[in-house]
Amino acid sequence: MATNKTILLVGGAETGKTNFLVRLWLGLRNGQGKMHLTMLPDSLEVFEADTERLLGGEFAERTLGETGNEFSISFNIPSDEIEGDLLIPDLSGETWERVWNERVWPSSLMRNISACDGLVLFIRNNTLVDPLNWIELAELIVRSNEVNFNGLKHYSSKGEAKRVPTQTLLVEWLQLIQEIGSSGSVRKSALRVAIVIAAWDELDESTRDLGPEHYVETRIPLLYQYMQTHMDVISFKVFALSVAGGDLANDPKFRQEFLDGDPTRGGFVLHSLDGDLSESNDFSLPIVWTLGLPIS
Amino acid sequence: MSEGSAQPEVIACSNPECTVSESGTCVLGFDKWKEDCPEYQHVVTVKLNNDGDFADQVGDQEVLSPESAMKYSPIWPGTEIGLSDVERIMRSSYTQLIGILGLSDVGKTCFLSSLFLKACSTTQPLNTFMFGGSKTLLGFEERALRTRMWDDSNIPDTLADRTTLQDPRNPGFLHLKLAYRSSPTRPFDVIFTDLPGEWFRELCVNLASASRLEFLKRADSLILIIDAERLIDPSRRHSHIYMTKLLLARIRENIEPVLEIPIVLAISKSDVLGKPLNTATKINGVDEISAEAIRIGLNTEVIYIASYSRCPAIVENGHGIETVLSAALDNFESVSKVDTRMVSSDYKRSFARFGN
C-alpha cells in the first residue's frame, strides 16, 4: 500500500522540533525502529548544519522565520508492508506564535493544515509559560486603578514581561487547526495529535517518575481538559523524549560520554503504546502513531 | 492622500477555498456574503501612508498591504465576539446565553477572569465543569491581564456586530465551551455577555437605552453582580441598594426575560468580610434586594463569591464562582431531549430558543 502523508510539528520557539527531526533522521539512516527509509532524499541540505551540530555534541540552533524547509522522505514499514512518502514542514516557533499575535495564517500553512494527516505538538518544560496566578491577578486588579496603568504592559514578573501562557497557545492552535480541517477540505479521518514533552531529561526525577501523562494533567491543565472533552473527535497520545539523553550544553561530562558513544543512537522515547510506560530508542514512534499506522 | 484619511478594506475570507477577495463571489453561494456567510469572518484593513501608498508599517504598527493580505487568511480576533458570531455559534449547537449584569466596578470582568483562571489552574481548578475550548481565549487572557479595559471616555452605544483585532474593547460576548465532568465528551457552548457597567446605570435612569439590551430576552440565565464592599460601607450602601433594585425593576419590566430562568444574585468581593463564607453569611442589604427580586416575580438565588481573595487562608480564591455558574446553568446536564422554538423578537436578529 503506497500513501502520501503530511505531519505538522506544532510548538513555540525552542520546544525541540528541529532537534527531534534531526534525531528522527539519524534513526532512519541507522535503520532503527519501525519506520525505514526506502531511498535517500534528493537533498539533505535542509538539515545538514543541524545534523552536524548534534553529531558534534551540540543541539540545533533556533529555527528562524518561515524557512520553507521541509523534511521529505520515502519510507516503508516492513512489518506491515506499508510504504509511502512523508512530508514534515519545518516551521519555526515564531511562525506559530505569530498566528496568536497577529491572528493570521500564512496561506501556505493553511493548505498544509487542510491536507495534514496529524499533528505532533511539542512542549518543553524549560520554555513553559505558566498561566496567571491568583496573586498576580490580585495585584493587577489593585494596580488597574492607577493612572495610565496598562495592565501587563506595566506589570513584570521576575523582571521579565509576562508572555502568553503555553497552555493557552496550545489550545488555540488546536482549535484553529480543527476549524480549518472542518471548514473546507475533507479530512480523510479523525485528527490524530501526538503530544511530545521534549527534553524530558531536564525535569527532576520525581516529576519524571510520574510519567508524561501526569505531567500534562498537572502542568498543562487547560490542554488536558481540552483533550478529555475532545476524545470523541481527536485521538491524543502523550510521549516524552530526549534527543541526546542529557544536557549537551551545560553538562560537559555527559557531553563527553555522548561523543564517546554513538550520537546517532542517543536519547530515548517514552510512550505507553502498549499500555504501560516504556522506553524506546525508536524516534519514529510518535510519527508512526500519528499516521495511524500499526505500532506493534 | 494623507495617512488615515482613507482606509480601503481588503476582503480576506477565512475559507481557504473561497476567492471572494478576487472575484467578489462567495464560494458558498451567499449573495450577501458579508452579512450571511458563516465563513466570512473578518475584514483586513490596510492603511495608507502619507504618499497614499499602501503602507507595510504605520508608526509602530505593522499592517498588511493588499498583496500581503492575499498570502494570509484571517483568524477570528479572539478578543470578544459580536452578535453575528453569536448567531453563528447558536446555529451550530445549542448554546447557553448567560447575561452578566451589574453597575460599574462591581466585578463583572473579575467574575469572568476568575472563571477562566480556575479553568487554567491545578490549585483551584473547576470541580463540576471541564474546559472544552473558547473562541475568545485572547479576550479572557487580556481581561485577566487588565490590558483590555473599557475606555470610560468612549463607551460604545451599541453591541458589536462583528469584531476585528484592531478594535478597542467593544460591548459583546465571551465564549466558553464547557462540559460536565460526569460527561466530558459532551461539551456545550456558553456565551457570556461582556457589557460596560455604564449601560446598566443608563438603563436605570433612562428607559430609552433599554433597546440595546433586548437580546437579553433570549438569555438562559442572568447573573446580577452586587458589590459587597459597597454594601458594608454605610456611605455607599443605600445608593447601591437603590440602584440595584431599580436595575432589577428595569430588567423585569422592560427587558422582560423569561420568568422561569435562573437569576443569580452574586454578591462579589465577599472576602471583604474576612470570614469564611457559608449559608450563614449575611451582608446588610442583600435580603432587601433579594426580597424585592422575589416580589416582582424573578426566580433568584443569592450566592456569595470572591473572584479573588484578599484573605485566601480564610476565603479561597474563586470562591463561589462555579456555584454561580452551576446555578445559572440550572442542571443543564439533565436535559436530554430538546425541541427548538423560535422566540419572536423585535430585535433585528432572532435566536433559537430550546426548551423541553
Side-chain angles (χ1 to χ4, degrees), chain A residues 103-107 110-111 113-114 176-185, chain B residues 10-21 26-28 33 37-44 69 72-77 85 88 135 162:
Chain A
R103 318 301 293 180
V104 289
W105 284 115
S107 295
M110 276 191 74
R111 281 187 280 275
I113 290 171
S114 299
L176 294 173
I177 289 168
Q178 259 198 293
E179 176 101 348
I180 292 171
S182 63
S183 68
S185 304
Chain B
V10 175
I11 309 303
C13 180
S14 63
N15 185 336
E17 309 292 330
C18 188
T19 59
V20 69
S21 57
C26 169
V27 71
L28 295 182
W33 43 269
C37 178
E39 301 296 331
Y40 172 74
Q41 289 184 348
H42 310 294
V43 171
V44 177
Y72 294 91
S73 296
I75 296 166
W76 65 69
D85 303 308
R88 192 154 55 91
K135 290 194 184 298
R162 291 179 184 273

Side-chain angles (χ1 to χ4, degrees), chain A residues 66 98-108 110-111 114 131-135 137-142 144-145 149-153 162-165 167-169 171-172 175-176 179-180 183-185 217-232, chain B residues 14-17 39 41 44 62 64 69-79 88 110 113-124 126 129-135 137-138 141 143-147 149 165 177-179 181 184-187 307-309 317-318:
Chain A
E66 295 175 28
R98 193 178 180 198
V99 169
W100 168 271
N101 291 329
E102 299 183 17
R103 318 301 293 180
V104 289
W105 284 115
S107 295
S108 57
M110 276 191 74
R111 281 187 280 275
S114 299
L132 199 69
N133 62 47
W134 299 97
I135 295 172
L137 176 66
E139 288 180 18
L140 284 166
I141 291 170
V142 168
S144 62
N145 293 321
F149 178 68
N150 275 333
L152 177 66
K153 294 177 184 134
K162 197 168 175 68
R163 294 167 56 204
V164 180
Q167 60 181 4
T168 303
L169 287 176
V171 169
E172 183 78 308
Q175 293 187 129
L176 294 173
E179 176 101 348
I180 292 171
S183 68
S185 304
E217 184 179 356
T218 55
R219 291 301 312 278
I220 325 172
L222 209 65
L223 175 64
Y224 183 76
Q225 291 171 80
Y226 190 83
M227 290 163 63
Q228 299 298 303
T229 53
H230 286 78
M231 279 191 306
D232 282 359
Chain B
S14 63
N15 185 336
E17 309 292 330
E39 301 296 331
Q41 289 184 348
V44 177
E62 185 181 352
L64 294 178
M70 299 306 172
K71 300 178 189 172
Y72 294 91
S73 296
I75 296 166
W76 65 69
T79 49
R88 192 154 55 91
C110 281
S113 296
S114 185
L115 178 60
F116 183 63
L117 249 69
K118 286 182 73 69
C120 294
S121 172
T122 48
T123 54
Q124 264 107 25
L126 295 172
F129 300 98
M130 297 183 79
F131 171 82
S134 171
K135 290 194 184 298
L137 275 177
L138 180 58
E141 287 287 346
R143 281 159 178 77
L145 294 168
R146 317 300 279 183
T147 57
M149 308 291 286
L165 189 59
K177 199 179 271 288
L178 297 172
R181 283 195 179 266
T185 57
R186 291 179 55 198
S307 298
Y308 75 96
S309 176
N317 287 300

Side-chain angles (χ1 to χ4, degrees), chain A residues 183-201:
Chain A
S183 68
S185 304
V186 175
R187 187 179 296 288
K188 297 181 277 294
S189 56
L191 184 64
R192 294 174 73 88
V193 180
I195 295 171
V196 167
I197 317 297
W200 186 247
D201 58 279

Side-chain angles (χ1 to χ4, degrees), chain B residues 45-56:
Chain B
T45 303
V46 298
K47 294 184 184 293
L48 302 180
N49 60 20
N50 288 333
D51 297 324
D53 297 321
F54 292 114
D56 289 327

